[in-house]
Amino acid sequence: MTQPVRPSVAIYPGSFDPITRGHEDIVRRTLIFCDRVIVAVGHRATQAKQGLFTIDERVELIKAVFEDEDRVDVAAFSGLLVDFARERNVGLIVRGLRAVSDFEYEFQMALMNRDLHPGIETLFLAPDARYSYLSASLVREITSLGGDMSHFVSPVVQRKLLSKLQST
Ligand code: PNS
């Protein structure tokens, strides 16, 4: 007897301040083996600063980037990621792993999330090598100093970055 195909959903959480081509790459890779991805914009518990974009702006940018992809949902969450996952009834978290330097923090989060919610698993995906040294913080810093980061973000993000940085 053939097993029914179970639609699978993953949560891809992060700060996304702003979403980069590296994040986009992880979402698209996730869609190879999941039916849907919820891109979840959260706060880092230890983050003292607010960041460049508001949470609502980050959500809007991600929606704009994936406007042609109806398998991507975008949501903001505050509080624990595992509580958000429980509310949505999702048992899979996806995170990108760029380099060994990411590993310690990611491993700690994955195990802590599993401790908080034993039904949850974290899956790590390697991005395209072009994005292995890319980070949203470098995009913000380099753009603010006049460097060209247009190949590392979608055009809609690039426009918003430039207008945001001009107004701050
Ligand atoms: O892209 P980032 O900044 O590394 O994302 C970090 C994020 C938002 C995924 C993480 O800080 C998080 O899950 N925050 C929600 C609060 C929470 O659950 N903290 C405990 C994590 S073990």
Side-chain angles (χ1 to χ4, degrees):
M1 201 171 72
T2 53
Q3 293 289 317
V5 179
R6 229 180 81 208
S8 56
V9 184
I11 291 177
Y12 178 38
S15 305
F16 305 109
D17 187 26
I19 182 166
T20 67
R21 292 280 195 207
H23 297 128
E24 290 177 41
D25 183 74
I26 296 295
V27 171
R28 295 193 200 284
R29 283 176 199 284
T30 305
L31 286 171
I32 296 170
F33 56 89
C34 282
D35 298 327
R36 303 194 70 78
V37 178
I38 303 171
V39 182
V41 183
H43 296 278
R44 238 187 226 218
T46 50
Q47 214 164 30
K49 273 179 47 193
Q50 277 298 308
L52 180 62
F53 290 101
T54 66
I55 299 295
D56 287 348
E57 287 171 331
R58 297 179 208 182
V59 167
E60 287 313 311
L61 278 177
I62 301 166
K63 283 184 178 167
V65 165
F66 289 108
E67 68 173 351
D68 295 333
E69 179 50 85
D70 62 5
R71 293 174 298 166
V72 174
D73 297 317
V74 189
F77 72 99
S78 55
L80 289 175
L81 173 60
V82 291
D83 289 339
F84 176 78
R86 263 202 208 98
E87 276 164 31
R88 298 287 179 121
N89 203 19
V90 175
L92 181 63
I93 294 170
V94 166
R95 292 280 290 174
L97 211 51
R98 291 165 298 189
V100 177
S101 51
D102 281 343
F103 180 77
E104 205 169 304
Y105 168 62
E106 294 298 334
F107 189 66
Q108 196 179 15
M109 278 211 303
L111 293 187
M112 192 56 90
N113 281 331
R114 191 195 273 156
D115 181 84
L116 291 165
H117 177 14
I120 205 126
E121 290 297 339
T122 303
L123 197 69
F124 297 112
L125 294 180
D128 189 293
R130 284 176 295 167
Y131 307 131
S132 59
Y133 52 93
L134 170 61
S135 71
S137 57
L138 275 182
V139 166
R140 293 195 304 270
E141 181 183 330
I142 293 168
T143 308
S144 74
L145 297 171
D148 179 19
M149 288 279 98
S150 55
H151 49 304
F152 283 136
V153 291
S154 280
V156 61
V157 177
Q158 170 79 354
R159 283 196 298 277
K160 267 278 178 195
L161 252 177
L162 292 174
S163 66
K164 186 84 175 178
L165 290 166
Q166 273 162 13
S167 65
T168 50

